[in-house]
Amino acid sequence: MGGYKIHNQHLAHFITYSVVDWIDVFVRPIYKEVVVESLKFCQKNKGLKIHGWCLMTNHIHLIISAEDGASLSGILRDMKRHTAKTILDDLQNNRKESRRKWMLWMFRQAGRYSRNNENFQFWQHNNRPMEIRSQKFFTQKMNYIHHNPVKEGLCYQPQDYPYSSARWYMDKKGLIEIDELLI
């Protein structure tokens, strides 16, 4: 899967994972909330430490680590499985979703070619984890994820985009409490 693997389960990593075929699922608040609630659950119950994040329309950027005794790979696997299942279940049952048939067809097509799924593939397999080993790399990735919504025209200032940690770093407010990272 591209040669990317989490080797040190407790070291902070910059991770990006995307919806298959870059489908813009996260334009709907209901699907954004699934991801936010899953991140919060993993923080509270699975040992996930979130140092930075940004949910875009079809992918998520994270700077995360795991508490001692927790597996970062396992947390990501469970989070991706849960969010995929929850969103796909909603798509199958939500007759109000205007793109429902098309999205389900796309996810079904992707699932046909995946050895890991029987029916649907929601997330791309590769997370592209990159270890955070220096303050310079951390700052570079944090700036990248916080400015991503600005670059895409979703807001004018990073702190104005609610689905990101940029606001937290300004005034300790936001949808998700952040575990600030000292390198």
Side-chain angles (χ1 to χ4, degrees):
M1 297 287 174
Y4 293 95
K5 187 174 183 179
I6 296 173
H7 296 287
N8 183 331
Q9 296 294 317
H10 304 291
L11 194 62
H13 285 75
F14 170 70
I15 293 173
T16 297
Y17 54 94
S18 308
V19 177
V20 296
D21 294 320
W22 294 86
I23 298 169
D24 290 319
V25 173
F26 304 113
V27 294
R28 306 273 195 253
I30 188 172
Y31 304 131
K32 291 179 194 175
E33 289 305 312
V34 169
V35 174
V36 169
E37 291 307 312
S38 184
L39 287 167
K40 288 179 181 179
F41 178 87
C42 289
Q43 271 184 309
K44 185 176 180 181
N45 299 294
K46 292 186 170 272
L48 178 65
K49 291 180 167 184
I50 302 173
H51 311 294
W53 72 288
C54 183
L55 178 62
M56 297 298 289
T57 61
N58 53 25
H59 64 283
I60 186 168
H61 297 293
L62 301 164
I63 297 178
I64 55 177
S65 61
E67 294 176 356
D68 287 340
S71 164
L72 190 55
S73 297
I75 294 168
L76 283 171
R77 177 200 62 231
D78 293 351
M79 188 167 48
K80 286 174 77 174
R81 182 182 299 142
H82 169 75
T83 54
K85 182 180 180 338
T86 302
I87 292 168
L88 288 166
D89 284 351
D90 185 78
L91 281 172
Q92 291 179 67
N93 297 310
N94 184 356
R95 303 274 183 218
K96 293 180 182 178
E97 172 58 63
S98 61
R99 304 168 305 149
R100 175 181 173 269
K101 288 181 183 178
W102 171 76
M103 285 197 296
L104 287 171
W105 184 84
M106 293 292 289
F107 295 135
R108 189 173 290 117
Q109 289 300 109
R112 289 178 56 192
Y113 299 104
S114 172
R115 68 181 194 274
N116 295 334
N117 295 318
E118 293 178 21
N119 298 315
F120 298 100
Q121 177 74 35
F122 183 82
W123 294 110
Q124 293 179 22
H125 289 294
N126 198 336
N127 298 321
R128 297 187 53 113
M130 302 166 86
E131 291 180 352
I132 304 289
R133 293 198 169 261
S134 71
Q135 183 65 46
K136 181 180 177 183
F137 185 70
F138 172 76
T139 302
Q140 176 193 36
K141 294 305 178 189
M142 190 67 77
N143 285 336
Y144 173 78
I145 67 176
H146 287 164
H147 284 88
N148 208 268
V150 176
K151 185 179 134 200
E152 292 299 315
L154 300 174
C155 60
Y156 291 109
Q157 297 291 324
Q159 64 271 19
D160 296 335
Y161 188 65
Y163 296 96
S164 148
S165 55
R167 175 86 188 262
W168 176 270
Y169 282 100
M170 290 220 36
D171 59 14
K172 306 297 184 249
K173 294 180 182 173
L175 297 175
I176 295 175
E177 188 172 329
I178 298 301
D179 298 294
E180 294 185 30
L181 184 62
L182 302 173
I183 298 177

